[in-house]
Amino acid sequence: MRYHKIPDETVRRLPLYLRGLLFSSQDLQENISSRKLAEVLGVNPWQIRKDFSYFGGFGTPGVGYNVEKLTKQIKKILKLDIGHRATLVGVGNLGAAILAYPGFKIYGFDIAAVFDNNSKKIGQKIGDVTIEDVAKLPMLKGRQIDLGIIAVPRGSAQEIANILVDVGIKGILNFSPCRIDVSKKVKVITIDIAMDLARLPYYMPSS
Amino acid sequence: MRYHKIPDETVRRLPLYLRGLLFSSQDLQENISSRKLAEVLGVNPWQIRKDFSYFGGFGTPGVGYNVEKLTKQIKKILKLDIGHRATLVGVGNLGAAILAYPGFKIYGFDIAAVFDNNSKKIGQKIGDVTIEDVAKLPMLKGRQIDLGIIAVPRGSAQEIANILVDVGIKGILNFSPCRIDVSKKVKVITIDIAMDLARLPYYMPSS
DNA sequence: TAATGCTAGTGTCCACGTTCACAAGTAAAG
DNA sequence: CTTTACTTGTGAACGTGGACACTAGCATTA
Ligand SMILES: NC(=O)c1ccc[n+]([C@@H]2O[C@H](COP(=O)([O-])OP(=O)(O)OC[C@H]3O[C@@H](n4cnc5c(N)ncnc54)[C@H](O)[C@@H]3O)[C@@H](O)[C@H]2O)c1
Ligand SMILES: NC(=O)c1ccc[n+]([C@@H]2O[C@H](COP(=O)([O-])OP(=O)(O)OC[C@H]3O[C@@H](n4cnc5c(N)ncnc54)[C@H](O)[C@@H]3O)[C@@H](O)[C@H]2O)c1
């Protein structure tokens, strides 16, 4: 294998492959072929092989990929081999749903601290975390948290992001429908659910 | 302007432009330049102009784009000029959050029917809709609903999707972390929040 | 050992999308 | 009218990523 810059699109797909491996590991097959994995996920086999080839040979011709080894490799590439601790800011409708969602665990994420500014919510315990006052957010340093999840109203998102960056968070998942401007050292991914819904009608045959 | 196939990536960005126009329309400026809009959204001006150019000239050189006209045009292209009625299936943590979310309105969406299979929830009224028994989902036809939102556990997602297709839904927004297989006539967009979070660490400097 | 069947890895070509530079158009000021 | 400042619209160059075909490797069977 020669040197290759890894395409962003490949990185985008790796979690999908990982999901496929983790969810279909009930099959208890030791090996899985690119054809089989592609079938499960609804993608092309050669896309999968190409993506993996950027990182060196995982598989064995004639056999496929060892599920356990492949899973570990992808986790390592995505830096999910070490667990990550996240903080959630804003425990409203969406925040509460995220907090209750078990789906982050399979990727090794742990929501270890949550904040809100509503005095009625502060102190409440949800699952095994207690909602803290957002005023104390700036003191988060040293609690080994490297990810931030923003679920506050749009007007407060940038402000919260600034604090998160100050306390050393390296990645932000933002649910507010707005741009967030931070140091280039920090990666921000914004999910705007309404925007995704908005492009659905375009593809629908006009009734 | 000649004939051009509209790139998918352009369609993906149109809702973003629309969001920018709708949220910054408090400025009450009659016109907005591509430079200004780009600044607000954090994208490139020429990308915006290129995207708009696929649909013909919206703007006026030296002046910019008329905000109202542009807004209407984008809505028309995305088929958001006519309102859309959606049904939500699964009123759990996430479903409830979506139901409470006012952000769909600006794109003209209305969640007009919601379903669940939990007898404790059926009959409950949230906002101005009442949760109906999912067993009655197959009888949705004729209620002028063309969009479906799936927020049920992974194992039930495909089953619900099949019913939605049967009753004539043309577009599905799926929050379950799984593939959904439907007729090619129906557009499915799947949002997997955990997957987005999972690619965040890759971009973070290893501490 | 030889033959067969399956699968990974990869070089190459092609399609698509982004970037850019510039011509052409508008408005306002001189 | 002329000049200046600004903005759109777009052809063309460029870069990236996807589709594919083919080689090489492994395993199983004869
Ligand atoms: N609910 C959804 O389905 C949904 C979907 C997409 C996007 N969003 C976005 O997610 C964000 C949250 O949505 P929501 O429905 O949970 O809203 P919400 O009003 O239910 O919750 C917001 C929470 O943030 C808290 N909060 C407000 N300002 C704060 C601050 N400065 N610091 C800390 N906490 C603060 C509030 O006390 C509240 O608990 C919004 O930006 C919304 O646009 C929500
Ligand atoms: N909560 C989150 O933040 C989150 C994030 C990403 C994805 N998701 C996904 O969204 C889906 C829902 O998540 P949730 O947290 O709301 O789960 P949940 O368990 O809180 O809610 C599921 C709801 O669906 C109902 N339901 C179950 N089977 C049904 C059926 N066959 N027909 C109709 N209703 C049915 C249940 O009664 C319940 O009310 C899951 O697939 C989950 O993976 C959730």
Side-chain angles (χ1 to χ4, degrees), chain A residues 94 97-102 104, chain B residues 89-95 115-118 121 134 150-154 156 159-160 175-177 191-194:
Chain A
L94 185 60
I98 288 170
L99 203 48
Y101 186 49
F104 298 121
Chain B
V89 186
V91 192
N93 291 297
L94 186 59
F115 295 89
D116 204 295
N117 72 348
N118 185 329
K121 295 184 178 178
V134 74
I150 296 180
V152 298
R154 200 173 68 251
S156 307
E159 175 195 348
I160 297 297
F175 286 97
S176 288
I191 299 179
D192 189 332
I193 293 168

Side-chain angles (χ1 to χ4, degrees), chain A residues 76-88:
Chain A
K76 194 171 175 183
I77 294 164
L78 290 173
K79 295 188 192 160
L80 297 174
D81 50 340
I82 47 162
H84 290 275
R85 287 157 58 90
T87 179
L88 168 71

